[in-house]
Amino acid sequence: MQHLSIFPILIPLLFGALMLLPPISRDINSQRVASIIGTLFLLISSAVLLYKINAEGVQLYALGGWQAPFGIALVADRVSSLLVLLTAFLAFCVMLYAVSGQDKGGAYFHPLFMFQIMGINGAFLTGDIFNLFVFFEVLLIASYALLIHAGGKQKTQAALHYVILNLVGSSLFLFGLGILYGTLGTLNMADMAVKVGQLQGETATLAKTGALLLLVVFGLKAAMLPMHFWLPKTYASASAPVAALFAIMTKVGIYSIFRVYTVIFGENAGELANIATPWLWPLALLTITIGTIGVFASPGIKTLSANLVIVSSGSLLACAAINSEAATSAALYYMIHSTLASAGLFLLADVMARQRGKAEDRFVRSRPFVQPRLLGFAFAIAAMALIGMPPLSGFVGKIMILQATQSTAQTMWVWPLILIGSLAALITFSRAGTTLFWRHNGTIATDAEPAKTTEIVSIALLLLASPILVLFGGYITEFTQQAAYYLHDIQSSAYDLLPGVAL
């Protein structure tokens, strides 16, 4: 049990490496079995880790026995373990969908999938900002290949833009790390949080430059305006399992912003306290605005799903700008909801596109569905969840965000944009549902493919998470409140992780 913190990284690494070796590498069925077993093991170990952290508190795992701040440290706390469990559940559901045949489009889908999960979990668990960079690179390299899975001109073009932007982001990340290491002498997050308050004058100005460079990098990952333009085309062109898995990718950037600018550059950072807040406020609100415009202009379900991801990113960034325990708690709840609901809609869009012939997922008149009742019910659940209508989790998450506003000015900016975003989603989903289910030409397409059992189960699991988040809302919000308290408490999130250092 003492090694439980590294399991979410070790399990996908070992299974991914195993699937690169013969004879498994030559047999797609063996890879499918290995992937299902691997994601199931990951889900179980992540659930056990969350239970252990909730019962016993933070678990600091020092690789090789080298204690912080000198060694590589993994920090499993309520925030990171919650997001690791979210990733594991998403990975299991997406893999259930992929093994129905979506994984045949290109080579090495399964090992790449595992390596991306490894990178995502590593980014959530690391206690060292340099290793955050390392895990970013792991997940990005895997995502480059997964993005062009199944090939095609549109995928290649979107992947090229995605790769170039992220290569620039990686370079800026290294520049920022170099500046911060030069001024603080450490890249361990807890150690940085202790030392940053002592910086003054020119040294503090230099450290501020490094910190704002990191904000640019995290903003790129989180699709924060003006670095969001890559997301709609990238997500809409990706294969369904890849797009669904990518629903967690922006959350890695959001998590990094919360972790770095709450723990390191938060209230106790001296001259550098809350340096991100003046930048986050306008950019968060503009991100919601541009995402809302994109929702109105969406020509199909996949693009609509991608633009809703941008709206959710803006909402989460607004929580980071509010910078309170209530806002962080609301962000954690809303992060779970938006990740699973968006992933479910991406998978549902693929099933619907395969039954509409040449019209695919576009909002145009086409042939009727093979399974209209099943798809209609799933579409209604996904729409209600993402609009934020009661009694599903989107409504609870948005109410929590609205209640987290602390001043009249915050209320005047956040409330209208959140509510207008929901109205835009309601109008667009209504238009989409009317066109997709009621406006038909001819008979069912001859090449229409009914959804397979594993695909239905996968989508059902993702969409059922929304009412479950409401049914167990009391327990979940209590947990997110405890997680938020930990993140904002410098004693718990920094000093307790450094042996021999006292506040």
Side-chain angles (χ1 to χ4, degrees):
M1 294 294 286
Q2 63 180 342
H3 301 289
L4 196 59
S5 298
I6 201 172
F7 279 17
I9 299 172
L10 206 55
I11 290 172
L13 172 62
L14 293 178
F15 274 88
L18 178 67
M19 287 185 282
L20 290 174
L21 301 175
I24 296 180
S25 62
R26 302 192 188 102
D27 183 12
I28 187 67
N29 290 322
S30 298
Q31 291 185 36
R32 288 172 174 172
V33 171
S35 292
I36 292 294
I37 293 173
T39 52
L40 186 58
F41 279 179
L42 177 62
L43 180 58
I44 293 170
S45 65
S46 300
V48 174
L49 176 63
L50 183 69
Y51 176 81
K52 182 178 174 64
I53 298 304
N54 190 46
E56 301 177 10
V58 180
Q59 188 174 76
L60 177 65
Y61 188 85
L63 275 73
W66 290 88
Q67 294 298 322
F70 305 106
I72 297 173
L74 300 179
V75 180
D77 53 36
R78 284 186 172 87
V79 179
S80 58
S81 56
L82 176 64
L83 295 179
V84 163
L85 179 59
L86 172 63
T87 304
F89 180 72
L90 176 65
F92 178 71
C93 294
V94 171
M95 186 53 67
L96 275 181
Y97 189 93
V99 297
S100 66
Q102 294 286 322
D103 54 351
K104 289 183 177 179
Y108 305 113
F109 172 84
H110 292 275
L112 287 168
F113 187 95
M114 287 296 181
F115 292 142
Q116 181 161 357
I117 295 299
M118 169 198 165
I120 293 170
N121 286 341
F124 288 143
L125 287 169
T126 185
D128 185 286
I129 204 165
F130 180 77
N131 289 301
L132 179 63
F133 166 77
V134 172
F135 284 117
F136 265 33
E137 294 308 297
V138 172
L139 70 90
L140 286 172
I141 290 170
S143 70
Y144 297 155
L146 284 174
L147 186 56
I148 57 173
H149 174 71
K153 180 180 178 181
Q154 190 176 7
K155 285 186 174 67
T156 304
Q157 184 183 28
L160 182 62
H161 295 161
Y162 177 73
V163 169
I164 291 172
L165 281 172
N166 279 286
L167 286 176
V168 173
S170 297
S171 300
L172 293 176
F173 204 157
L174 281 177
F175 290 145
L177 291 181
I179 293 171
L180 289 174
Y181 186 75
T183 53
L184 293 168
T186 181
L187 290 176
N188 179 279
M189 294 186 196
D191 202 28
M192 292 173 73
V194 170
K195 293 181 177 179
V196 71
Q198 303 167 11
L199 298 181
Q200 295 179 346
E202 294 180 356
T203 308
T205 303
L206 194 59
K208 181 177 181 180
T209 303
L212 292 179
L213 277 176
L214 293 189
L215 182 61
V216 172
V217 176
F218 299 151
L220 173 62
K221 313 299 183 191
M224 179 174 70
L225 187 136
M227 297 164 288
H228 71 287
F229 292 102
W230 60 272
L231 191 146
K233 183 177 286 188
T234 300
Y235 280 38
S237 64
S239 63
V242 175
L245 181 61
F246 277 23
I248 195 74
M249 292 278 279
T250 53
K251 309 308 184 290
V252 178
I254 298 287
Y255 164 82
S256 300
I257 290 173
F258 272 99
R259 177 71 70 176
V260 171
Y261 298 98
T262 301
V263 176
I264 302 175
F265 299 103
E267 297 287 347
N268 299 281
E271 292 185 20
L272 301 180
N274 301 322
I275 57 172
T277 302
W279 297 91
L280 284 174
W281 263 118
L283 294 176
L285 299 177
L286 288 170
T287 302
I288 298 174
T289 303
I290 201 69
T292 302
I293 295 171
V295 166
F296 272 126
S298 299
I301 309 177
K302 293 178 183 178
T303 308
L304 171 61
S305 305
N307 283 307
L308 286 169
V309 170
I310 295 176
V311 174
S312 70
S313 290
S315 303
L316 293 168
L317 288 168
C319 291
I322 294 171
N323 194 26
S324 66
E325 288 182 28
T328 302
S329 175
L332 289 172
Y333 184 94
Y334 190 72
M335 201 179 293
I336 302 170
H337 150 77
S338 61
T339 300
L340 299 179
S342 298
L345 187 59
F346 276 120
L347 298 183
L348 181 62
D350 180 66
V351 172
M352 296 171 74
R354 298 204 314 263
Q355 296 189 14
R356 298 184 74 230
K358 294 181 180 180
E360 296 184 335
D361 70 309
R362 297 191 301 276
F363 302 147
V364 295
R365 188 185 297 269
S366 72
R367 295 176 181 274
F369 291 111
V370 179
Q371 301 162 300
R373 290 183 177 84
L374 176 65
L375 297 184
F377 180 74
F379 182 82
I381 296 296
M384 289 176 64
L386 288 165
I387 291 167
M389 294 177 64
L392 300 182
S393 56
F395 176 76
V396 176
K398 290 188 176 183
I399 287 294
M400 290 178 68
I401 294 174
L402 296 178
Q403 289 180 337
T405 54
Q406 296 176 312
S407 66
T408 304
Q410 289 180 2
T411 301
M412 288 178 63
W413 282 108
V414 173
W415 281 56
L417 289 177
I418 295 288
L419 296 176
I420 290 171
S422 294
L423 178 62
L426 174 62
I427 294 171
T428 306
F429 272 115
S430 300
R431 175 170 61 92
T434 302
T435 303
L436 295 171
F437 292 97
W438 293 346
R439 295 178 182 173
H440 299 146
N441 280 331
T443 58
I444 295 172
T446 55
D447 60 345
E449 301 178 31
K452 300 179 178 65
T453 302
T454 53
E455 294 175 337
I456 296 171
V457 171
S458 171
I459 295 170
L461 286 172
L462 290 168
L463 296 183
L464 281 173
S466 186
I468 289 173
L469 283 170
V470 176
L471 289 174
F472 296 94
Y475 298 106
I476 296 170
T477 53
E478 182 182 355
F479 184 90
T480 60
Q481 287 165 3
Q482 293 172 348
Y485 171 79
Y486 166 83
L487 205 61
H488 286 264
D489 180 38
I490 189 70
Q491 178 67 47
S492 303
S493 58
Y495 285 91
D496 288 351
L497 304 179
L498 297 170
V501 179
L503 181 61

